[in-house]
Short mmCIF file of all heavy atoms in Angstrom, two decimals:
data_model
loop_
_atom_site.label_atom_id
_atom_site.label_comp_id
_atom_site.label_asym_id
_atom_site.label_seq_id
_atom_site.Cartn_x
_atom_site.Cartn_y
_atom_site.Cartn_z
N ASP A 339 5.56 -8.95 -35.40
CA ASP A 339 6.65 -8.16 -34.78
C ASP A 339 6.06 -7.00 -33.98
O ASP A 339 6.45 -6.75 -32.84
CB ASP A 339 7.57 -7.64 -35.89
CG ASP A 339 8.93 -7.18 -35.36
OD1 ASP A 339 9.25 -7.47 -34.20
OD2 ASP A 339 9.66 -6.53 -36.12
N MET A 340 5.11 -6.29 -34.55
CA MET A 340 4.46 -5.17 -33.85
C MET A 340 3.66 -5.65 -32.68
O MET A 340 3.63 -4.99 -31.63
CB MET A 340 3.58 -4.40 -34.84
CG MET A 340 4.35 -3.58 -35.86
SD MET A 340 3.28 -2.96 -37.23
CE MET A 340 1.88 -2.32 -36.32
N TYR A 341 3.00 -6.78 -32.82
CA TYR A 341 2.16 -7.31 -31.75
C TYR A 341 3.02 -7.65 -30.52
O TYR A 341 2.66 -7.37 -29.38
CB TYR A 341 1.42 -8.55 -32.25
CG TYR A 341 0.69 -9.33 -31.19
CD1 TYR A 341 -0.30 -8.74 -30.42
CD2 TYR A 341 1.01 -10.66 -30.96
CE1 TYR A 341 -0.97 -9.48 -29.45
CE2 TYR A 341 0.35 -11.40 -30.01
CZ TYR A 341 -0.65 -10.80 -29.25
OH TYR A 341 -1.32 -11.52 -28.28
N ILE A 342 4.17 -8.28 -30.77
CA ILE A 342 5.05 -8.65 -29.66
C ILE A 342 5.64 -7.40 -29.00
O ILE A 342 5.70 -7.29 -27.79
CB ILE A 342 6.18 -9.56 -30.15
CG1 ILE A 342 5.59 -10.88 -30.66
CG2 ILE A 342 7.18 -9.86 -29.03
CD1 ILE A 342 6.60 -11.78 -31.36
N ASN A 343 6.06 -6.47 -29.83
CA ASN A 343 6.74 -5.27 -29.32
C ASN A 343 6.28 -4.06 -30.13
O ASN A 343 6.78 -3.82 -31.21
CB ASN A 343 8.27 -5.43 -29.43
CG ASN A 343 9.02 -4.26 -28.87
OD1 ASN A 343 8.43 -3.29 -28.42
ND2 ASN A 343 10.36 -4.35 -28.87
N ASP A 344 5.33 -3.32 -29.58
CA ASP A 344 4.72 -2.24 -30.37
C ASP A 344 5.67 -1.07 -30.59
O ASP A 344 5.32 -0.13 -31.32
CB ASP A 344 3.41 -1.77 -29.75
CG ASP A 344 3.48 -1.61 -28.26
OD1 ASP A 344 4.55 -1.24 -27.75
OD2 ASP A 344 2.43 -1.83 -27.59
N SER A 345 6.85 -1.07 -30.01
CA SER A 345 7.83 -0.03 -30.35
C SER A 345 8.41 -0.25 -31.74
O SER A 345 9.12 0.63 -32.27
CB SER A 345 8.97 -0.01 -29.31
OG SER A 345 9.74 -1.21 -29.39
N LYS A 346 8.13 -1.40 -32.37
CA LYS A 346 8.64 -1.70 -33.70
C LYS A 346 7.83 -1.01 -34.80
O LYS A 346 8.15 -1.15 -35.99
CB LYS A 346 8.61 -3.21 -33.93
CG LYS A 346 9.50 -4.02 -33.00
CD LYS A 346 10.96 -3.83 -33.35
CE LYS A 346 11.85 -4.79 -32.56
NZ LYS A 346 11.72 -6.18 -33.01
N ILE A 347 6.77 -0.32 -34.47
CA ILE A 347 5.90 0.27 -35.48
C ILE A 347 6.66 1.25 -36.36
O ILE A 347 6.54 1.23 -37.59
CB ILE A 347 4.68 0.95 -34.82
CG1 ILE A 347 3.81 -0.12 -34.15
CG2 ILE A 347 3.88 1.75 -35.84
CD1 ILE A 347 2.70 0.46 -33.32
N ILE A 348 7.51 2.07 -35.75
CA ILE A 348 8.28 3.03 -36.52
C ILE A 348 9.24 2.32 -37.47
O ILE A 348 9.36 2.67 -38.64
CB ILE A 348 9.06 3.99 -35.60
CG1 ILE A 348 8.09 4.82 -34.74
CG2 ILE A 348 9.96 4.90 -36.41
CD1 ILE A 348 7.21 5.74 -35.54
N SER A 349 9.92 1.28 -36.98
CA SER A 349 10.89 0.56 -37.82
C SER A 349 10.20 -0.13 -38.99
O SER A 349 10.77 -0.24 -40.08
CB SER A 349 11.70 -0.44 -37.00
OG SER A 349 10.86 -1.47 -36.50
N VAL A 350 8.97 -0.62 -38.78
CA VAL A 350 8.23 -1.24 -39.88
C VAL A 350 8.00 -0.22 -40.99
O VAL A 350 8.18 -0.52 -42.18
CB VAL A 350 6.87 -1.79 -39.39
CG1 VAL A 350 5.95 -2.12 -40.55
CG2 VAL A 350 7.10 -3.05 -38.54
N MET A 351 7.64 1.00 -40.63
CA MET A 351 7.42 2.04 -41.65
C MET A 351 8.73 2.47 -42.31
O MET A 351 8.79 2.69 -43.52
CB MET A 351 6.74 3.26 -41.00
CG MET A 351 5.34 2.97 -40.50
SD MET A 351 4.48 4.47 -39.97
CE MET A 351 5.47 5.00 -38.60
N GLU A 352 9.80 2.55 -41.51
CA GLU A 352 11.09 2.97 -42.06
C GLU A 352 11.63 1.94 -43.04
O GLU A 352 12.16 2.31 -44.11
CB GLU A 352 12.09 3.16 -40.92
CG GLU A 352 11.84 4.41 -40.10
CD GLU A 352 12.81 4.56 -38.95
OE1 GLU A 352 13.27 3.53 -38.39
OE2 GLU A 352 13.13 5.71 -38.58
N GLU A 353 11.50 0.65 -42.74
CA GLU A 353 12.00 -0.40 -43.63
C GLU A 353 11.29 -0.39 -44.95
O GLU A 353 11.85 -0.78 -45.99
CB GLU A 353 11.87 -1.76 -42.96
CG GLU A 353 12.85 -1.99 -41.83
CD GLU A 353 12.62 -3.31 -41.14
OE1 GLU A 353 11.83 -4.12 -41.66
OE2 GLU A 353 13.23 -3.54 -40.07
N ARG A 354 10.03 0.02 -44.96
CA ARG A 354 9.24 0.10 -46.18
C ARG A 354 9.45 1.44 -46.92
O ARG A 354 8.84 1.68 -47.96
CB ARG A 354 7.75 -0.05 -45.87
CG ARG A 354 7.38 -1.44 -45.36
CD ARG A 354 7.45 -2.47 -46.45
NE ARG A 354 6.93 -3.77 -46.02
CZ ARG A 354 6.81 -4.82 -46.81
NH1 ARG A 354 7.16 -4.71 -48.08
NH2 ARG A 354 6.36 -5.97 -46.35
N GLY A 355 10.31 2.31 -46.36
CA GLY A 355 10.53 3.61 -47.00
C GLY A 355 9.40 4.58 -46.84
O GLY A 355 9.31 5.58 -47.54
N GLU A 356 8.50 4.28 -45.88
CA GLU A 356 7.31 5.14 -45.67
C GLU A 356 7.61 6.30 -44.75
O GLU A 356 7.03 7.38 -44.89
CB GLU A 356 6.15 4.32 -45.08
CG GLU A 356 5.66 3.18 -45.97
CD GLU A 356 4.80 3.65 -47.10
OE1 GLU A 356 4.53 4.88 -47.20
OE2 GLU A 356 4.39 2.82 -47.93
N PHE A 357 8.51 6.11 -43.80
CA PHE A 357 8.73 7.12 -42.75
C PHE A 357 10.14 7.70 -42.88
O PHE A 357 11.12 6.98 -42.71
CB PHE A 357 8.54 6.49 -41.38
CG PHE A 357 8.57 7.47 -40.25
CD1 PHE A 357 7.67 8.53 -40.22
CD2 PHE A 357 9.48 7.33 -39.20
CE1 PHE A 357 7.70 9.43 -39.16
CE2 PHE A 357 9.50 8.25 -38.15
CZ PHE A 357 8.59 9.30 -38.14
N GLN A 358 10.24 8.97 -43.25
CA GLN A 358 11.51 9.64 -43.43
C GLN A 358 11.50 10.98 -42.72
O GLN A 358 11.46 12.04 -43.34
CB GLN A 358 11.80 9.83 -44.93
CG GLN A 358 11.78 8.52 -45.70
CD GLN A 358 11.96 8.74 -47.20
OE1 GLN A 358 12.63 9.66 -47.63
NE2 GLN A 358 11.34 7.87 -47.99
N PRO A 359 11.53 10.97 -41.39
CA PRO A 359 11.37 12.21 -40.61
C PRO A 359 12.48 13.23 -40.84
O PRO A 359 12.25 14.44 -40.74
CB PRO A 359 11.37 11.71 -39.16
CG PRO A 359 12.11 10.41 -39.21
CD PRO A 359 11.75 9.80 -40.53
N ARG A 360 13.68 12.77 -41.18
CA ARG A 360 14.78 13.73 -41.36
C ARG A 360 14.53 14.69 -42.51
O ARG A 360 14.96 15.84 -42.51
CB ARG A 360 16.10 12.97 -41.60
CG ARG A 360 16.55 12.15 -40.39
CD ARG A 360 17.85 11.44 -40.67
NE ARG A 360 18.27 10.64 -39.54
CZ ARG A 360 19.39 9.89 -39.53
NH1 ARG A 360 20.14 9.83 -40.62
NH2 ARG A 360 19.70 9.19 -38.47
N ILE A 361 13.84 14.19 -43.53
CA ILE A 361 13.57 15.02 -44.70
C ILE A 361 12.61 16.15 -44.36
O ILE A 361 12.75 17.27 -44.85
CB ILE A 361 13.00 14.15 -45.84
CG1 ILE A 361 14.04 13.10 -46.27
CG2 ILE A 361 12.59 15.03 -47.03
CD1 ILE A 361 13.52 12.16 -47.35
N TYR A 362 11.64 15.86 -43.50
CA TYR A 362 10.56 16.81 -43.25
C TYR A 362 10.70 17.55 -41.93
O TYR A 362 9.91 18.49 -41.68
CB TYR A 362 9.21 16.07 -43.27
CG TYR A 362 8.87 15.48 -44.62
CD1 TYR A 362 9.24 14.22 -44.97
CD2 TYR A 362 8.16 16.25 -45.55
CE1 TYR A 362 8.92 13.68 -46.20
CE2 TYR A 362 7.85 15.74 -46.79
CZ TYR A 362 8.22 14.45 -47.11
OH TYR A 362 7.92 13.93 -48.34
N ARG A 363 11.65 17.18 -41.09
CA ARG A 363 11.72 17.74 -39.75
C ARG A 363 11.90 19.25 -39.76
O ARG A 363 11.36 19.96 -38.92
CB ARG A 363 12.84 17.05 -38.96
CG ARG A 363 12.89 17.47 -37.50
CD ARG A 363 13.82 16.55 -36.72
NE ARG A 363 13.27 15.21 -36.61
CZ ARG A 363 13.97 14.10 -36.73
NH1 ARG A 363 15.27 14.16 -37.03
NH2 ARG A 363 13.42 12.91 -36.60
#
Side-chain angles (χ1 to χ4, degrees):
D339 198 13
M340 288 168 46
Y341 171 60
I342 297 171
N343 182 358
D344 44 33
S345 67
K346 297 288 189 71
I347 294 172
I348 297 297
S349 64
V350 166
M351 295 189 297
E352 288 178 328
E353 288 176 11
R354 293 289 187 176
E356 298 283 358
F357 188 58
Q358 303 176 31
R360 294 181 181 179
I361 297 176
Y362 294 90
R363 186 168 292 139

